[in-house]
Every structure is written in C-alpha cells, then in structure tokens.
Amino acid sequence: MGREILFKAKRKNWRELPKEEWWVEGNLITNEREEGTAYIGYIFDVHNGVIEDFDIVEIAPETLCQYTGKTDKNE
C-alpha cells in the first residue's frame, strides 16, 4: 500500500483564504538561500531529467506536517 502525500501544511497566506483552501499536500521543497522559506509542490512532467511542469505553493513552515504511516482510529 503506497501513499502519495508526503507532507501537508497551510498556505503562507491561509488567513486571507476560505477555510477549504488553507491546506496543501505534496512534496516538501526548501530554498537554502532563503532561510525560513518552504514550499509544497508536485512535479507533473519530467523529460530527460528536466522538470517541465510543476506547481509549488509557499507555506507557513510552522504548520508543516509529515505523513508517518499512522492513521486515526476513525479512518
């Protein structure tokens, strides 16, 4: 059983958005040049080792959660 969602976090501007748009899920991407900046994104298309299509969203790093393999008893 595999799971595609590796991380979950609130968007950086979550306070300005409707509640159903607060959270994003995907791969964690960080920028070493900008400490404290983090993104969650998906890579959709790679050809010959070159990323051609992707989507990233800046997140509030303090809200970052990682999938651990544990599930709630109600799931």
Side-chain angles (χ1 to χ4, degrees), residues 5-62:
I5 300 167
L6 302 177
F7 293 91
K8 176 179 174 180
K10 287 184 179 177
R11 296 173 186 268
K12 185 173 183 175
N13 62 340
W14 67 272
R15 290 178 181 89
E16 303 164 12
L17 300 170
K19 190 172 185 176
E20 59 273 3
E21 295 179 24
W22 286 2
W23 294 92
V24 292
E25 301 169 334
N27 297 306
L28 178 64
I29 303 166
T30 58
N31 184 343
E32 293 178 8
R33 295 181 188 169
E34 297 178 32
E35 188 175 325
T37 303
Y39 305 88
I40 284 190
Y42 287 99
I43 297 172
F44 296 110
D45 197 14
V46 178
H47 289 292
N48 298 323
V50 177
I51 299 170
E52 295 190 1
D53 188 18
F54 61 94
D55 182 29
I56 62 171
V57 175
E58 190 169 359
I59 61 166
E62 65 275 9

